[in-house]
Amino acid sequence: MPKKRLRWDEPTLAGLRLRCLRRVARHTCPQCGVGALFDRWAHLRERCNHCGLIYRREDGAELGSMYLSATISQLFAAAVFVLLWVFTDLGAWGGFAVGAPIVLAFCYGFLPLSMALWTAIEYLTDVASGEWWARPRCARSRYPAPRHA
């Protein structure tokens, strides 16, 4: 049986996942790791300014990010209010007065990360399904990526 050749420069899919998640945690392109994900706070670029990867290929591409953000935020809110209820004697309104600003600050801060994570999830799904535009590469590749305006 012939040995299966690895595509691109990743030794394993697990290595690709880890590299992709590190890149989006730094708010850089999941494909090349160089281009920025955001123009400004929580405003996802249309494409990577280095390798040309399109981040939002269709209407509703960020819908998953919305659900991810809502789910994590609701779990965080539940944990905050349970902890306030169990470990303090603030009562319902006092717990709300303390917990609501904490939860709102978390939601505000988590939004860009949820958008970046969803971009990574879509990218990894495209790589796994063999889409032609999703080509994993190192940031310092032997073959420079084409620059797109």
Side-chain angles (χ1 to χ4, degrees):
M1 180 171 198
K3 191 174 190 178
K4 183 178 179 183
R5 295 184 71 173
L6 295 172
R7 296 177 66 187
W8 306 301
D9 60 359
E10 286 297 329
T12 64
L13 188 56
L16 173 63
R17 286 182 188 135
L18 186 59
R19 178 180 286 178
C20 183
L21 290 176
R22 278 194 308 254
R23 287 174 175 174
V24 298
R26 292 188 323 254
H27 293 183
T28 60
C29 174
Q31 180 165 265
C32 68
V34 176
L37 274 179
F38 298 99
D39 284 330
R40 57 186 183 273
W41 183 87
H43 187 266
L44 191 66
R45 290 177 178 258
E46 183 181 330
R47 66 177 59 231
C48 176
N49 58 357
H50 180 74
C51 70
L53 177 70
I54 299 173
Y55 301 140
R56 296 181 289 173
R57 288 182 302 282
E58 59 199 14
D59 291 337
E62 287 299 308
L63 190 62
S65 169
M66 181 186 72
Y67 285 116
L68 177 66
S69 180
T71 302
I72 299 298
S73 296
Q74 289 172 5
L75 291 173
F76 180 79
V80 166
F81 288 116
V82 166
L83 290 173
L84 287 173
W85 181 61
V86 170
F87 293 110
T88 68
D89 294 328
L90 294 174
W93 288 107
F96 180 76
V98 171
I102 293 170
V103 171
L104 287 174
F106 175 81
C107 293
Y108 186 79
F110 183 69
L111 181 61
L113 182 59
S114 73
M115 293 172 76
L117 287 172
W118 190 254
T119 302
I121 290 168
E122 281 194 335
Y123 173 72
L124 288 170
T125 302
D126 291 345
V127 168
S129 64
E131 300 292 343
W132 63 270
W133 60 81
R135 301 193 55 124
R137 59 188 79 149
C138 293
R140 295 185 189 114
S141 178
R142 292 184 300 251
Y143 311 104
R147 296 186 76 77
H148 296 278

